[in-house]
Amino acid sequence: MPPFVPIGEFEQLVLIALIRLRERAYSVAIRHEIAERTGRDVSLGAVYKTLERLEIKGYVSTSVGDPTPERGGRRKKFFHIEPAGARVLDDSLRALQRMTAGLAWKWRQS
Amino acid sequence: MTLPRGIAAFVRASVRRDLLEHALGDLQETFNRQIVSDGRRVARRSCWRDAVALAAAAPRWQREPYACAGHTHSKGDGLVRSIGHDVRYGWRALVKSPAYTVIAVATLALAIGANTVIFSFANVLVFRPLPIADSGRVAFVYSIDPHSQPRGRVSFGDYLDFRDRSSSFEELAASVEDNVTLTGRGEPQRLLARRVTPNLFDAWGLRPVAGRLLRAGEDDPGAACSVVLSDHLWSSMFQRNPSVVSTSIALDGRACTIVGVITPAIELGNMSLIDFWMPIAAESLTAARDARAFTVSGRMKPAVTVEQAAADLKAIAERLQREHPDTNAGWTARVLPTRTAMVGEHSLMIFSLMMIVVGFVLLIACANIANLVLARASARKRELAVRIALGATRAAVVRQQIVESLLVGAASGLCGIGVAEAALRGIRAAAYEPFFAMVVLDRQVLLFTLALSFAAPLLFSLLPALHAASAAFADGLREGSRSGTSPAARRTRSALVVAQVGLAMVLLVVAGLIVRTLVALNRQDLGFDPRPLLTAQIELPSWKFKADSDAAAFYERLADRLERLPEVRGSGAVTGLPTLTFGNRIQFDIAGRPAATAADRPWGHEFTATAGYMNAAGIRLTRGRWFSRADAGSAPAVAVVSAEAARRYWRSPGDVIGAHVTLGSQPGRSAEIIGIVGDVSNPFPNEPPLPTIYTPASQHPMRAAAVVLRAAWPEALAPALRAAIHDADADVPVFQLRTMAIALEDENSTANIMSALFISFAVLALLLASGGLYGVVSFAVGQRTQEMGVRIALGAVASDIRKLVFGEALSLVAIGGVLGLAAAALLAQMLSGVLFGVTPFDPLTYVSVAAVIVGSSIVAIWMPAQRAIRLDPVRTLRAE
C-alpha cells in the first residue's frame, strides 16, 4: 500500500474520466472525454504523463488490449482505477466540498 | 490511412521507447478520426502538435518511470542503461553546437598533446625500466675534487683500490669508451666499443642472446682478443646469424673472436651507440693514477644502502689521498643510485620545469572550457528547467552534463594523441642525440593521456554543472532570470583572466628571449664561413701507420687527390672541427721570460692542422704566414697562434712573430711562431674565444682528424671525398661525413628542439589567454545586455559603450600583464646562463611581448564590444 500522495486537479479529472469510461478507458478516449465535458483541449502528452504518474503512485493499473485496424494494427493500453485511487479521489473531492461548503457563489465577482 | 511518414519517424526518434507502440497507435487513431471530421490538412497539423507534445512529455532519453519507482520492469542495469542514454543525448547536444564542441576539443587536444609530449620525455627519464637487473642494488662511483665536475670519472688505479678494499660491493666494474676500426669486411669502418672489466656483465645482470659474454681473465694483458657484439651490429652486419659466434673479425688490425651477442635491452640512450663490448685494453691498466677516464659501477651487497657504500668509498678515497698525495690530493668519491646516475641532473630539472609549464597550460585550457560550459549553461537554462520540471533529478542533470564533458575529453584525448605523435615525429626527425629516439608513445604515456582526458573534463564540468543545476532549480522556467552574476563568480572569472594573461606573458617573454638567442647564435661571426664546408672524420689505424712520417705522407696524398677535383677550392685536415670541439689544452713557456708558476703559465688549446686547412676552413690570417709543405718534419718546428692568444700573452702583435715557445712540459716541444690567425668562436657561445695554438701536421702526428673541404656545393662532393680518402688509403675508416652546416645543426639540435617546444607552448598559452579573455568579455556583455540597453536608450553612443567594455577588460589585462612582466623578469634572470646576444631584460622583447598581448586582447575584446554597440535598446528592454 503506497503512502497517501495528494493529487492535483488534472489528476482528479483523469481519475473521474476513468470511472466514467469503465473498461473503455485508454488515452485517446480519456482525452476525448475530458475535452467533451470541460471544453479543454488537453495534449496527449499531458494525458500520458498524468497516467504514468498515477500508475507510479499506485492509483491506476494497466492492461493491454488487442490490436485494432484503426490504430494501424497496434494495441491499446487500458487503464483501471485501483481502490487506492478511488479513495484518494474521494478524499480529494470531499476536501474540495468541505472547503467550498457554505460559500456563496458570489466570490466569482470579486 | 497510415500516419504521415514524417510524424512516425519523428515519434520513433524522439519518444520514449516503451511508449512507442501506444503513442503511435493513439496518434494513428486520432489522425484517422480527425481526417473524417476536419480534413487531411487540419488533421496533419494537430497530429504534429500531439507528436511534439508526446516527445516533450516522454522524451527518448528519459528513463522509464518504473525503473526509478523500484519496480523491476526495466531490462538490464538501470544506471548503465541511462548512461547509455546520456552518451547518446550528449552526442546530439555536442553535434548541435559545433562551435562549442570544436573550440573545446581543439583547446583541450592541444593542451593534452603538449602534456603528452613532455610526459613521454619524463617517462623515458623516470619510468622506463632500466636494462639492469635489480637496478636498486646497482650504484655508480665518481671521483670528484672541489674544481671538477660533480660526476668525474675514475682512474684505473683508484678503481682497483676501490674494488679491492671496499666491503660494500659484490662486484665493482670499470668501463671506458673506445673507437676501433673494423677491417676486412668491405670498406673499413670506425665503430664504437665499450671496453669493460668482464665482471660488469655480472654487476648489471646482463644476459647474452647468443653465445656468451666476457669471462674473467679475458681482460688479462696477454689474453687473446674476445668481443661481444651488440644486437644492432649483429642484425646489420651478420643478419642475426648465430653461427658468427666463435668466428673472428679484424679490429684495429688484430684478430678478435666473437664470443657472443648481448641482449638488445641494453640499447638505451647513448648505450644504443655501442657496437662492441670488449675487454679493457692492456695499456689502460698501467695508466697514471691521474688519468681519470673510467666509468665505475657495481652491484652492492644485499642490505647495503647507497649511503653506506658512499661512506665506505669516501673512507678509501681519504686513505688514497694520503698514499698518493701527488695525484689524489683533494679527490674524494661520490656514489649515486643507477637512475640518478643515468639521468642528467639538468635534464631532470628542465623536464620538471616543462611539466609545470604544460600543467599550467592544461589548467588554463580547463578554465577556458569551464567558462564556455558556463556560458552554454545559461543558454541551455530552459532546456534544463524543462527536464527538471518533467522529473529529471538534479543528479541526473549533473550526470548528463558530466557525460557530455567526458565525450569532449575522449575526443580531445584522441586528437591530443595525434598532436603528440606528430610532434614527436618532428622531434625525432630533428634530433641528433639517441635519447630522443627512445621517446615514443608507449603504454605508460597512453595511460597518462587517458587519465588526463578523464580528469580534465571532470575539472571543467563539475562546477558549472552543479552551478547550472542549482540555478535551474532555483529559477525554474521564469523568463529573464539570471545566473552566474554573483560577485564571487565574477571575481573568479576576473582572476582567471589575470592569471591567463600573466602566464602567457611569462611564456612569451621567455620564448622571445630564446628566439633572440637563436637569431644571435645564427648571426654570430664564427671566425670562418661554415656554408661552403664539407667535413668527415677519419682515423688512421695505428697498426698500419706505425711511424709519424706515414701519417704525414697520408695527409699529403689526400690533399693532392682532393685538390685535383675541379669543384674543390681548398682542402685540409685538423684534429677537431672549429667551434664544435675543444683542442688539447696545453700550457707553454715563452722563451726569454722568467719561468712562471703552474697557475700563471700561459695556456692554450692546441689544434694540429695541415697546410691547406686555414684556406679551406676560411680562417683569416692577420699577420705572418700559415704552414706550408716546406714545414716538413726535418725543417725547424713552427706554430701559429690565434689573435686571442697573441692579445693575452704578448704586448703587441709585432712581438709575436719570431717568438719561441716551448709547448707542454717534460720535455716540451719548442717551436717558432710564424703567424697569427683570426679567432674561432668558443664552443660555449657565451664565453670569449679560447687562446689557440696551431701546430703543423707534418711535424706532429695526427691519428684522428677531421677532413675539411671547401666547395660551392659541398653536399654534392660527399661521395668524391669518401672515394678520395679510400684512394689515399683503403684501410682508413670514414665517418660523420656531413656538411659543416649540418654538423652545427646536429650539435644544436637538442637546444633547438627545446626552444621549439617552448615557443609552441608560449603561442599556445597566448591563444588560450585570448580565447579566455574573449569568453569572459562575451559573457560579461551578455549578462549586462539590459544595462547597456538602458544606457543606449538614455543616449550613450558607441564610444561610451566601447569605453565601458574595454575599460573593464583592459584593466584585467593590465593587472595580468604587470604581474606577468614581474614573473617573467624573475624567470629570465634565472635563465640568463642560456641566453646569448641578449640580456635577460632585453627591452625589445618585453615591449614587443606587451604589444602582442595588448593587441590580441584588443581583438578578443573588440568582437563582444561591437555586439554590445549594435544592441537594439527597445528589444533588450522588452526582453526583460
Side-chain angles (χ1 to χ4, degrees):
Chain A
M1 194 71 180
F4 178 83
V5 183
I7 54 173
E9 190 235 1
F10 193 63
E11 285 170 317
Q12 288 177 358
L13 296 186
V14 170
L15 283 176
I16 297 169
L18 286 187
I19 296 169
R20 285 184 169 278
L21 291 167
R22 294 171 192 277
E23 301 80 63
R24 294 175 292 108
Y26 70 104
S27 42
V28 175
I30 294 166
R31 181 194 193 189
H32 190 246
E33 186 74 19
I34 293 173
E36 285 285 282
R37 296 198 170 266
T38 66
R40 289 196 214 171
D41 185 15
V42 296
S43 85
L44 212 46
V47 176
Y48 270 55
K49 215 60 211 176
T50 309
L51 285 169
E52 204 165 275
R53 217 158 32 231
L54 290 171
E55 192 182 355
I56 292 168
K57 291 174 184 170
Y59 298 155
V60 302
S61 59
T62 61
S63 62
V64 177
D66 292 328
T68 60
E70 57 167 355
R71 293 172 63 85
R74 298 184 186 92
R75 298 161 186 275
K76 282 178 189 165
K77 190 182 192 181
F78 288 109
F79 291 84
H80 320 281
I81 188 158
E82 289 288 306
R87 215 188 71 209
V88 78
L89 177 66
D90 211 40
D91 284 355
S92 168
L93 291 178
R94 208 166 291 161
L96 212 58
Q97 274 171 7
R98 278 198 294 270
M99 286 307 287
T100 52
L103 285 176
W105 284 105
K106 268 186 244 161
W107 85 73
R108 284 197 204 174
Q109 272 92 42
S110 62
Chain B
M1 271 292 141
T2 55
L3 271 181
R5 209 184 307 157
I7 296 180
F10 170 78
V11 170
R12 279 202 191 90
S14 51
V15 171
R16 224 171 64 202
R17 204 173 297 177
D18 63 304
L19 296 178
L20 217 52
E21 183 178 357
H22 309 299
L24 285 170
D26 285 354
L27 289 173
Q28 176 89 67
E29 190 181 334
T30 317
F31 181 65
N32 286 349
R33 281 188 198 166
Q34 210 166 5
I35 284 183
V36 179
S37 56
D38 302 323
R40 198 178 165 85
R41 252 188 51 156
V42 175
R44 248 174 83 113
R45 200 180 308 148
S46 70
C47 191
W48 263 115
R49 233 185 355 253
D50 282 343
V52 171
L54 276 175
R60 180 71 178 262
W61 45 262
Q62 205 178 47
R63 279 188 287 175
E64 284 174 43
Y66 312 103
C68 71
H71 295 248
T72 50
H73 185 290
S74 66
K75 299 162 277 175
D77 180 5
L79 186 66
V80 170
R81 233 152 61 101
S82 47
I83 285 179
H85 283 298
D86 286 342
V87 169
R88 283 195 293 276
Y89 184 81
W91 175 256
R92 278 203 294 274
L94 289 176
V95 170
K96 250 189 274 173
S97 48
Y100 161 78
T101 310
V102 168
I103 293 177
V105 169
T107 307
L108 197 56
L110 286 174
I112 288 181
N115 275 274
T116 303
V117 168
I118 296 305
F119 181 79
S120 56
F121 281 42
N123 177 42
V124 173
L125 296 178
V126 183
F127 301 112
R128 181 77 54 90
L130 294 170
I132 296 172
D134 194 8
S135 61
R137 279 178 53 206
V138 173
F140 281 69
V141 179
Y142 302 95
S143 277
I144 55 171
D145 81 338
H147 313 294
S148 78
Q149 49 168 335
R151 295 177 180 201
R153 298 208 174 131
V154 182
S155 72
F156 204 78
D158 286 353
Y159 155 70
L160 289 176
D161 285 325
F162 285 152
R163 185 190 70 186
D164 297 340
R165 300 186 194 182
S166 134
S167 55
S168 38
F169 285 90
E170 258 172 23
E171 297 283 0
L172 197 60
S175 70
V176 65
E177 216 160 70
D178 193 10
N179 294 315
V180 293
T181 305
L182 171 76
T183 46
R185 295 187 65 88
E187 186 183 299
Q189 292 183 57
R190 201 208 58 154
L191 298 170
L192 187 65
R194 190 91 201 168
R195 291 190 179 271
V196 301
T197 55
N199 64 348
L200 179 83
F201 301 112
D202 290 332
W204 285 13
L206 297 174
R207 299 266 154 272
V209 289
R212 59 170 177 88
L213 301 177
L214 296 176
R215 284 195 192 126
E218 283 179 324
D219 57 339
D220 289 344
C225 172
S226 310
V227 299
V228 170
L229 293 184
S230 70
D231 190 77
H232 69 86
L233 197 71
W234 189 41
S235 338
S236 65
M237 199 173 278
F238 301 101
Q239 292 77 46
R240 309 188 78 80
N241 181 354
S243 66
V244 300
V245 173
S246 74
T247 61
S248 102
I249 50 173
L251 293 179
D252 283 345
R254 197 177 161 205
C256 292
T257 309
I258 298 172
V259 298
V261 181
I262 200 168
T263 166
I266 196 69
E267 295 185 11
L268 274 184
N270 286 327
M271 283 196 292
S272 63
L273 300 177
I274 298 171
D275 300 305
F276 291 113
W277 300 72
M278 50 199 299
I280 279 177
E283 58 267 28
S284 315
L285 311 182
T286 54
R289 209 173 262 276
D290 57 357
R292 295 186 167 87
F294 292 85
T295 305
V296 173
S297 62
R299 178 165 296 267
M300 294 178 289
K301 286 182 179 160
V304 171
T305 64
V306 171
E307 290 72 28
Q308 287 164 348
D312 180 22
L313 290 193
K314 265 186 197 141
I316 298 169
E318 266 166 40
R319 260 179 288 154
L320 290 176
Q321 285 185 24
R322 285 193 297 274
E323 290 166 23
H324 308 280
D326 47 335
T327 54
N328 282 34
W331 287 87
T332 177
R334 185 175 186 217
V335 178
L336 288 180
T338 319
R339 177 78 69 179
T340 321
M342 289 197 162
V343 176
E345 270 148 324
H346 281 294
S347 17
L348 215 54
M349 199 194 75
I350 289 171
F351 285 116
S352 329
L353 189 73
M354 286 218 154
M355 218 52 227
I356 292 171
V357 167
V358 290
F360 271 116
V361 169
L362 184 64
L363 280 183
I364 292 185
C366 285
N368 275 348
I369 301 173
N371 255 333
L372 285 179
V373 172
L374 267 180
R376 196 155 164 264
S378 51
R380 291 170 83 184
K381 211 164 47 188
R382 288 181 63 80
E383 175 197 331
L384 292 184
V386 167
R387 287 179 51 194
I388 287 166
L390 290 177
T393 59
R394 182 182 154 128
V397 170
V398 171
R399 193 190 62 211
Q400 200 282 317
Q401 301 222 317
I402 288 175
V403 167
E404 204 175 299
S405 302
L406 286 176
L407 281 178
V408 171
S412 311
L414 280 179
C415 298
I417 288 173
V419 168
E421 179 59 29
L424 286 181
R425 272 179 199 200
I427 288 170
R428 281 195 295 265
Y432 187 64
E433 277 188 39
F435 165 78
F436 290 99
M438 297 166 64
V439 181
V440 290
L441 299 181
D442 62 5
R443 208 170 44 142
Q444 231 107 8
V445 176
L446 292 180
L447 274 177
F448 172 80
T449 310
L450 184 73
L452 281 190
S453 322
F454 193 76
L458 290 185
L459 204 62
F460 70 69
S461 70
L462 204 53
L463 277 176
L466 287 173
H467 177 88
S470 61
F473 265 97
D475 295 342
L477 287 161
R478 254 189 308 128
E479 183 64 56
S481 58
R482 299 179 185 191
S483 65
T485 46
S486 72
R490 248 204 357 248
R491 268 199 303 277
T492 311
R493 267 191 288 273
S494 304
L496 221 61
V497 169
V498 168
Q500 292 185 6
V501 170
L503 189 76
M505 192 92 183
V506 172
L507 292 182
L508 278 178
V509 165
V510 175
L513 292 174
I514 288 173
V515 169
R516 298 260 293 156
T517 297
L518 291 180
V519 170
L521 280 177
N522 276 332
R523 284 221 194 115
Q524 74 165 325
D525 181 14
L526 297 174
F528 66 99
D529 183 8
R531 276 167 301 176
L533 301 186
L534 181 69
T535 75
Q537 299 287 331
I538 56 170
E539 196 159 294
L540 307 187
S542 52
W543 50 272
K544 186 149 188 197
F545 293 82
K546 294 206 169 66
D548 292 350
S549 56
D550 295 344
F554 169 81
Y555 290 113
E556 287 193 9
R557 276 205 306 282
L558 179 61
D560 289 342
R561 278 169 178 72
L562 289 177
E563 258 132 56
R564 247 184 277 142
L565 297 172
E567 303 89 343
V568 171
R569 285 192 270 134
S571 80
V574 66
T575 40
L577 285 175
T579 86
L580 289 180
T581 45
F582 292 103
N584 181 25
R585 191 178 188 276
I586 55 162
Q587 293 191 310
F588 60 92
D589 296 303
I590 298 164
R593 298 196 189 172
T597 61
D600 297 333
R601 250 183 113 191
W603 60 274
H605 281 244
E606 182 186 357
F607 286 92
T608 302
T610 63
Y613 172 68
M614 185 190 73
N615 279 328
I619 295 172
R620 290 175 287 270
L621 182 69
T622 51
R623 197 175 264 261
R625 68 171 180 92
W626 181 256
F627 313 124
S628 71
R629 289 202 179 184
D631 300 312
S634 50
V638 290
V640 168
V641 294
S642 70
E644 174 67 19
R647 227 179 351 263
R648 238 188 236 219
Y649 303 121
W650 283 273
R651 230 171 296 131
S652 84
D655 302 343
V656 181
I657 310 294
H660 283 80
V661 293
T662 309
L663 306 174
S665 46
Q666 312 153 355
R669 299 159 284 151
S670 64
E672 183 189 344
I673 295 176
I674 54 169
I676 305 176
V677 293
D679 285 315
V680 165
S681 70
N682 192 310
F684 291 131
N686 279 328
E687 308 280 322
L690 293 163
T692 304
I693 299 153
Y694 295 92
T695 49
S698 48
Q699 295 174 347
H700 298 263
M702 182 163 74
R703 300 279 174 191
V707 179
V708 177
L709 201 64
R710 186 181 193 79
W713 303 102
E715 48 281 294
L717 282 173
L721 176 57
R722 190 183 284 274
I725 293 169
H726 288 152
D727 197 26
D729 191 304
D731 287 324
V732 172
V734 180
F735 52 100
Q736 288 185 355
L737 178 57
R738 51 188 179 173
T739 63
M740 187 73 195
I742 288 179
L744 286 167
E745 223 169 79
D746 286 346
E747 208 57 36
N748 297 327
S749 65
T750 305
N752 287 342
I753 287 169
M754 291 301 155
S755 309
L757 280 178
F758 215 93
I759 292 165
S760 337
F761 296 155
V763 171
L764 187 57
L766 175 69
L767 285 178
L768 290 181
S770 309
L773 188 62
Y774 170 79
V776 167
V777 176
S778 300
F779 191 79
V781 168
Q783 290 294 331
R784 293 170 67 183
T785 306
Q786 191 201 5
E787 179 200 331
M788 305 271 182
V790 172
R791 283 173 190 269
I792 293 173
L794 292 179
V797 290
S799 63
D800 298 327
I801 299 297
R802 214 175 274 144
K803 229 180 270 168
L804 189 73
V805 176
F806 269 91
E808 219 158 272
L810 277 182
S811 62
L812 293 183
V813 173
I815 298 170
V818 169
L819 291 178
L821 276 182
L826 263 175
L827 190 62
Q829 179 92 57
M830 283 161 60
L831 289 174
S832 57
V834 301
L835 299 179
F836 172 76
V838 58
T839 67
F841 306 112
D842 176 49
L844 181 65
T845 305
Y846 284 76
V847 169
S848 40
V849 166
V852 166
I853 294 263
V854 169
S856 56
S857 304
I858 287 176
V859 172
I861 302 168
W862 185 263
M863 291 181 269
Q866 286 304 106
R867 215 175 305 142
I869 289 164
R870 281 197 298 269
L871 281 177
D872 177 357
V874 178
R875 251 212 345 245
T876 52
L877 292 181
R878 197 182 289 145
E880 283 299 305

